[in-house]
């Protein structure tokens, strides 16, 4: 089984990936948060700081693109292939209202003919691997068979399915019957993504779908950075590992941003997930949330690390 880190905009940037991989090297591949190529056909300095291979050394990483314009996609994908990337991923899952209103992300699923034209152009022009990360549809899982039939007509290198429709956002339960349907009806390479929080969740999914050889984990892996190691039969994270991982990430953000406020803001985002590892974390989490500078933040973190940890989340 291969285990992939899900792309998470605002959280799993290049600095995060480097530090996570240093402490928890069992992740087989990191999918990067999306870039939105525009018709200017240039990457911004901020995008380059995330995507350049020199910031992603020592592990496999796949850049992700989100656009409904095939020419812009082809330009950006070719530029990424030229940088040495073997695979580029297309985002067909982002549920945000501002994104879908423009017909991008999950919004592309609402227009199957447009999607087909887009894929025609992409697959007739690009020399490298293109994978897709998709939801089941916009409104209803009944949209999925038609979409799956469209995907089947192209040499998609990997189809990552997050079995929710856009209307489900991240709230509603995943629709396992639709994923099972895909396993039976799609002959290309498949990856499952959604709701895997514990090593037992991963084992259960492997048993249920022995044909599926790839799992992608997002929020569960942010909450428990050693989750892939555990899913592969290894130990959970020790307190020392968690502290060292946290400290290196925190220092790296301080150096990169040169701002306590910005660093603390980023670390709060991570603690939203990481706090789930600790028993009775509410008070320490409140302290972290209230912090606006390093002193307040560090005292909240020290209180968190004094708490007992859960065996399983
Ligand atoms: C804060 C946040 C940011 C995300 N950013 C992206 C993104 O850039 N690209 C993408 O394809 N999915 C993105 N996702 C979706 C995740 O990759 C993943 O599909 C989702 O969280 C479900 O998997 P999980 O239950 O393992 O977290 C994001 C999700 C969250 C919560």
């Amino acid at each position: 089984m291969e285990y992939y880190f899900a792309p998470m905009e605002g959280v799993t940037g290049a600095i995060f990936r480097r530090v996570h991989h240093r402490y928890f090297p069992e992740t087989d591949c990191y999918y990067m948060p999306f870039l939105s190529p525009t018709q200017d056909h240039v990457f911004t300095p901020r995008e380059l700081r995330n995507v350049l291979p020199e910031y992603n050394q020592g592990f496999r990483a796949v850049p992700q693109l989100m656009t409904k314009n095939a020419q812009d996609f082809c330009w950006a994908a070719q530029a990424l292939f030229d940088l040495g990337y073997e695979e580029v991923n297309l985002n067909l899952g982002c549920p945000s209202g501002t994104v879908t209103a423009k017909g991008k992300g999950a919004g592309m699923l609402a227009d199957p003919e447009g999607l087909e034209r887009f894929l025609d152009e992409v697959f007739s022009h690009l020399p490298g691997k293109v994978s897709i990360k998709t939801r089941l549809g916009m409104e209803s899982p009944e949209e999925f068979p038609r979409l799956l039939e469209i995907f089947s007509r192209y040499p998609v290198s990997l189809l990552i399915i997050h079995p929710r429709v856009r209307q489900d956002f991240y709230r509603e339960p995943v629709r396992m019957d639709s994923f099972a349907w895909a396993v039976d009806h799609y002959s290309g390479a498949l990856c499952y993504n959604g709701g895997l929080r514990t090593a037992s969740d991963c084992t259960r999914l492997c048993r249920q779908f022995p044909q599926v050889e790839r799992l992608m984990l997002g929020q569960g892996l942010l909450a428990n950075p050693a989750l892939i190691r555990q899913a592969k039969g290894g130990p959970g994270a020790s307190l020392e590992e968690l502290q060292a991982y946290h400290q290196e990430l925190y220092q790296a953000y301080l150096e990169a941003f040169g701002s306590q406020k910005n660093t603390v803001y980023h670390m709060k985002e991570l603690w939203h997930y990481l706090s789930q590892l600790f028993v009775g974390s509410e008070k320490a989490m409140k302290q972290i949330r209230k912090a606006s500078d390093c002193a307040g933040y560090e005292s909240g973190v020290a209180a968190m690390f004094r708490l007992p940890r859960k065996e399983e989340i």
Side-chain angles (χ1 to χ4, degrees), residues 77-147:
Q78 188 59 60
L80 293 163
F81 292 144
D82 292 343
L83 284 172
Y85 287 106
E86 284 181 3
E87 175 188 340
V88 168
N89 182 258
L90 167 66
N91 180 323
L92 294 181
C94 182
S96 149
T98 48
V99 167
T100 55
K102 293 181 198 142
K104 300 195 293 185
M108 282 179 84
L109 304 176
D111 173 18
E113 286 89 12
L115 179 63
E116 220 175 323
R117 281 194 300 278
F118 178 94
L119 296 178
D120 266 342
E121 187 161 347
V122 162
F123 283 98
S124 60
H125 283 91
L126 284 176
K129 290 184 187 169
V130 177
S131 59
I132 291 177
K133 181 164 180 280
T134 190
R135 289 188 180 235
L136 304 172
M138 271 294 274
E139 306 282 339
S140 148
E142 285 167 22
E143 298 163 39
F144 191 51
R146 169 142 189 232
L147 295 167

Side-chain angles (χ1 to χ4, degrees), residues 291-311:
S292 56
D293 61 10
C294 288
Y297 172 76
E298 286 168 23
S299 107
V301 169
M304 187 70 85
F305 279 132
R306 283 194 293 272
L307 294 170
R309 273 165 302 125
K310 295 178 190 164
E311 284 298 310

